C-alpha cells in the first residue's frame, strides 16, 4: 500500500496552497471555518487532516502528534481534538445532526483546540446545512470547522459565505502526477515489460492526473511483480467496464444521482469502446471484451428492461466528435428511463438488435460537422501506442 501523507511536506503539487497553509499555521492564523473543494481524489480530506493535526498539536509533545497521525491519518479514526464526519451519512437524521452540533466545544480536549472535518459535504441535506450554519455563526475560541466537498454549488450560499477561506484542489500537473506514480511504483516494487516512463504516462492519462486513482491502479498489482502491457491494458478496460455498468444502473435508476455520477467520470476513447460493448450485451449479445461475470450481470439486469435508454445513450455518446462532459450529461438526461414517455418511441426488436449493435460499433453516427466520431476509430492496443509514441521525459 502506498504510504499516506503524514506531513504537509509530503504533499505533491498544490504548491501555493501548501505554502499558504504552512505560513498561517506558523503564525497561528488559520481561518476557523474553511472549505476544501475540488475534483474527487485530489487530496482535500488528506490535507484537511494534516492541517487539523498541525493546529491541535502545535504546542504539544512530539509523542502526542505521532499519536494523532496514527489515529487520524493511518486509521481514519477521530481523537478527542479531531472529529471526523461523513456528511453523506447524516442527511435528515436529527440525532446525527445534534451529534455534530454537540462537538462544537473544546471541552474534554487535551489540546484546548478542536477541529471538525465535515467530509462529503455536497451530500448534506438542507436541514443539516441549516443546522451547521447556525453553529458556525458563533464558534467558540479554539474550534475550527473544515468542510470538504467536490461541489461548491451544492452548498447553500449562506453556508459558503460563513467560510473565510475556500481552498481549491485541482488535478495535478503532468509533472506532479508522474512524480506521484513514480513514487508509488517504487514503494510497491513493481516493474514493467515496457519503459517505466511509458507505463507512468499511461497510468496518469487513465487516472486524469488524480493522485488517488493513480495509487489505486498501481496497488491493484501484487507487490514486486512484473506488470505486462497486457496486464495494464486489461486493468484499464476492466475498470472502465465497472464504471459503465454502474452508469447503466443510474440510467434505469435515479436521474439526479446519475447526473452527479456521469459528471464525475473520466470519459475517453477506451470508455466509449467499453460502453459499446456493454450496449451489445444489453441488446442480447455476448462481448468477448468483457468478462463472463460482466456479460451475465448485464444480461440479467436488462432482462425485463426497455433497451431504448442504453441504445440511445450509446448512440449519442459514440457519435460525439468531441467528448465534452456537458454533452455527455445532456445525452444521459435525454436517454434516461424517466424521459422515455416524452421521447418518440423506438421499437428495439430482436431482429434489429444485431444491426443496431453493428452500426454503433462499426460506424457511429457522424456529428453535424461531419467529424469522424471517436467511437468509429479502433482503440489502439498499448503495443501500438508504444510503437508510435514519443519517449516522455520525467
Amino acid at each position: 500500500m502506498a504510504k499516506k501523507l503524514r506531513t504537509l511536506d509530503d504533499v505533491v503539487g498544490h504548491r501555493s496552497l501548501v505554502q499558504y497553509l504552512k505560513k498561517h499555521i506558523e503564525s497561528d492564523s488559520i481561518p476557523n471555518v474553511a472549505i476544501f473543494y475540488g475534483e474527487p481524489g485530489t487530496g482535500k480530506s488528506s490535507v484537511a487532516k494534516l492541517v487539523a493535526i498541525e493546529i491541535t498539536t502545535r504546542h504539544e509533545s512530539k509523542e502526542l502528534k505521532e499519536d494523532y497521525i496514527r489515529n487520524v491519518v493511518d486509521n481514519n479514526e477521530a481523537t478527542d481534538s479531531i472529529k471526523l464526519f461523513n456528511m453523506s451519512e447524516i442527511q435528515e437524521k436529527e440525532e446525527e445532526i445534534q451529534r455534530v452540533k454537540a462537538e462544537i466545544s473544546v471541552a474534554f480536549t487535551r489540546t484546548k483546540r478542536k477541529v471538525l472535518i465535515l467530509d462529503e459535504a455536497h451530500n448534506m441535506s438542507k436541514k443539516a446545512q441549516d443546522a451547521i450554519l447556525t453553529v458556525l455563526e458563533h464558534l467558540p475560541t479554539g474550534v475550527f470547522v473544515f468542510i470538504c466537498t467536490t461541489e461548491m454549488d451544492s452548498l447553500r450560499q449562506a453556508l459558503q459565505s460563513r467560510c473565510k477561506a475556500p481552498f481549491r484542489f485541482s488535478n495535478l500537473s503532468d509533472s506532479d502526477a508522474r512524480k506521484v506514480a513514480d513514487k508509488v511504483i517504487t514503494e510497491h516494487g513493481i516493474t514493467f515489460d515496457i519503459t517505466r516512463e511509458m507505463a507512468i504516462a499511461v497510468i496518469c492519462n487513465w487516472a486524469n492526473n488524480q493522485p488517488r486513482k493513480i495509487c489505486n491502479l498501481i496497488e491493484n498489482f501484487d507487490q514486486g511483480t512484473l506488470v505486462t502491457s497486457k496486464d495494464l491494458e486489461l486493468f484499464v478496460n476492466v475498470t472502465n467496464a465497472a464504471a459503465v455498468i454502474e452508469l447503466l444502473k443510474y440510467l434505469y435508476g435515479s436521474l439526479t444521482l446519475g447526473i452527479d455520477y456521469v459528471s464525475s467520470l473520466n470519459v475517453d476513447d477506451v470508455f466509449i469502446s467499453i460502453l459499446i460493448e456493454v450496449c451489445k450485451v444489453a441488446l442480447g449479445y455476448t462481448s468477448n471484451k468483457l468478462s463472463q461475470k460482466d456479460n451475465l450481470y448485464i444480461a440479467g439486469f436488462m432482462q425485463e428492461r426497455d433497451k431504448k435508454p442504453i441504445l440511445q445513450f450509446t448512440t449519442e455518446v459514440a457519435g460525439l466528435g468531441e467528448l465534452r462532459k456537458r454533452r455527455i450529461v445532456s445525452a444521459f438526461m435525454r436517454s434516461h428511463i424517466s424521459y422515455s414517455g416524452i421521447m418518440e418511441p423506438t421499437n428495439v426488436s430482436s431482429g434489429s438488435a444485431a444491426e443496431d449493435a453493428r452500426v454503433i460499433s462499426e460506424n457511429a453516427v457522424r456529428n453535424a460537422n461531419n467529424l469522424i466520431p471517436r467511437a468509429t476509430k479502433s482503440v489502439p492496443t498499448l503495443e501500438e501506442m508504444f510503437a508510435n509514441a514519443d519517449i516522455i521525459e520525467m
Side-chain angles (χ1 to χ4, degrees):
M1 178 179 289
K3 296 178 181 178
K4 295 183 178 181
L5 305 178
R6 297 175 70 82
T7 73
L8 288 172
D9 291 331
D10 294 334
V11 177
V12 176
H14 314 304
R15 190 171 292 106
S16 297
L17 175 55
V18 170
Q19 288 175 350
Y20 173 91
L21 292 170
K22 291 172 73 172
K23 174 184 175 181
H24 286 272
I25 288 170
E26 185 64 29
S27 63
D28 207 12
S29 57
I30 287 287
N32 62 350
V33 182
I35 295 181
F36 296 71
Y37 74 101
E39 292 290 320
T42 49
K44 302 179 296 296
S45 299
S46 297
V47 172
K49 289 176 180 178
L50 295 177
V51 175
I53 291 170
E54 292 293 339
I55 289 174
T56 54
T57 65
R58 186 164 180 268
H59 302 293
E60 304 299 327
S61 66
K62 183 178 179 181
E63 290 74 22
L64 181 61
K65 184 173 183 177
E66 285 297 322
D67 182 54
Y68 277 20
I69 290 174
R70 280 191 297 272
N71 280 282
V72 178
V73 174
D74 296 339
N75 301 322
N76 195 36
E77 294 176 352
T79 70
D80 60 324
S81 300
I82 301 175
K83 302 300 179 180
L84 310 175
F85 294 97
N86 185 331
M87 301 310 291
S88 63
E89 299 173 357
I90 303 298
Q91 296 302 318
E92 302 288 339
K93 298 177 182 177
E94 183 63 32
E95 65 274 16
E96 292 296 319
I97 295 174
Q98 292 302 321
R99 186 164 66 89
V100 176
K101 293 176 67 174
E103 291 291 352
I104 308 294
S105 166
V106 293
F108 309 112
T109 63
R110 281 177 284 183
T111 65
K112 301 304 178 185
R113 290 192 170 193
K114 181 182 284 187
V115 180
L116 277 66
I117 299 178
L118 311 184
D119 205 0
E120 304 292 334
H122 45 275
N123 290 322
M124 272 198 290
S125 65
K126 183 178 181 298
K127 184 176 181 179
Q129 290 194 43
D130 287 342
I132 298 298
L133 187 59
T134 59
V135 297
L136 291 185
E137 293 177 353
H138 304 288
L139 279 181
T141 301
V143 175
F144 300 77
V145 176
F146 295 163
I147 300 173
C148 302
T149 180
T150 59
E151 303 166 25
M152 279 285 278
D153 291 344
S154 67
L155 301 180
R156 294 184 57 195
Q157 195 59 46
L159 184 57
Q160 292 184 40
S161 67
R162 290 287 186 276
C163 297
K164 300 171 184 176
F167 300 130
R168 184 174 184 272
F169 286 72
S170 303
N171 290 343
L172 298 178
S173 66
D174 290 345
S175 175
D176 286 338
R178 290 174 196 154
K179 288 178 184 177
V180 171
D182 188 60
K183 182 173 181 287
V184 179
I185 287 170
T186 299
E187 291 172 356
H188 215 54
I190 60 176
T191 55
F192 303 91
D193 65 349
I194 55 177
T195 66
R196 184 182 177 105
E197 291 81 5
M198 190 58 68
I200 288 173
V202 170
I203 290 168
C204 292
N205 180 66
W206 172 82
N208 196 28
N209 287 356
Q210 292 181 10
R212 183 195 300 164
K213 291 184 71 174
I214 291 171
C215 295
N216 288 346
L217 190 155
I218 294 170
E219 290 170 4
N220 271 278
F221 301 110
D222 293 333
Q223 287 191 342
T225 58
L226 172 69
V227 178
T228 68
S229 59
K230 285 291 186 184
D231 293 333
L232 201 52
E233 183 178 26
L234 177 62
F235 180 82
V236 170
N237 283 346
V238 166
T239 304
N240 275 285
V244 175
I245 290 171
E246 188 68 19
L247 185 152
L248 186 68
K249 298 176 187 176
Y250 285 118
L251 196 60
Y252 292 87
S254 169
L255 175 60
T256 53
L257 293 178
I259 291 171
D260 289 341
Y261 179 74
V262 175
S263 299
S264 71
L265 291 175
N266 177 30
V267 182
D268 55 14
D269 286 326
V270 175
F271 181 92
I272 302 303
S273 177
I274 298 300
L275 175 60
I276 291 168
E277 296 304 313
V278 169
C279 183
K280 288 181 182 178
V281 178
L283 294 176
Y285 294 84
T286 301
S287 169
N288 56 15
K289 293 185 179 181
L290 301 179
S291 68
Q292 183 180 12
K293 180 181 177 181
D294 286 341
N295 273 274
L296 291 173
Y297 178 84
I298 296 166
F301 180 84
M302 293 299 302
Q303 192 168 14
E304 301 295 332
R305 288 180 167 85
D306 182 10
K307 308 297 189 296
K308 179 187 171 185
I310 181 61
L311 178 58
Q312 179 175 322
F313 180 69
T314 305
T315 302
E316 287 201 34
V317 173
L320 291 173
E322 194 173 358
L323 293 178
R324 292 188 178 180
K325 192 62 66 70
R326 283 189 305 173
R327 294 181 180 180
I328 296 170
V329 170
S330 178
F332 177 85
M333 293 173 65
R334 286 193 298 271
S335 306
H336 193 268
I337 188 65
S338 63
Y339 281 71
S340 59
I342 302 174
M343 312 289 287
E344 287 294 323
T346 299
N347 181 25
V348 183
S349 65
S350 59
S352 65
E355 179 64 15
D356 289 332
R358 187 190 69 78
V359 171
I360 293 171
S361 60
E362 295 179 5
N363 188 23
V365 179
R366 295 180 182 275
N367 69 4
N369 296 321
N370 290 320
L371 296 172
I372 298 177
R374 292 171 177 260
T376 63
K377 303 175 185 177
S378 61
V379 178
T381 64
L382 290 179
E383 290 88 347
E384 291 171 338
M385 289 192 293
F386 300 147
N388 300 316
D390 295 327
I391 296 298
I392 299 175
E393 295 183 3
M394 294 293 293

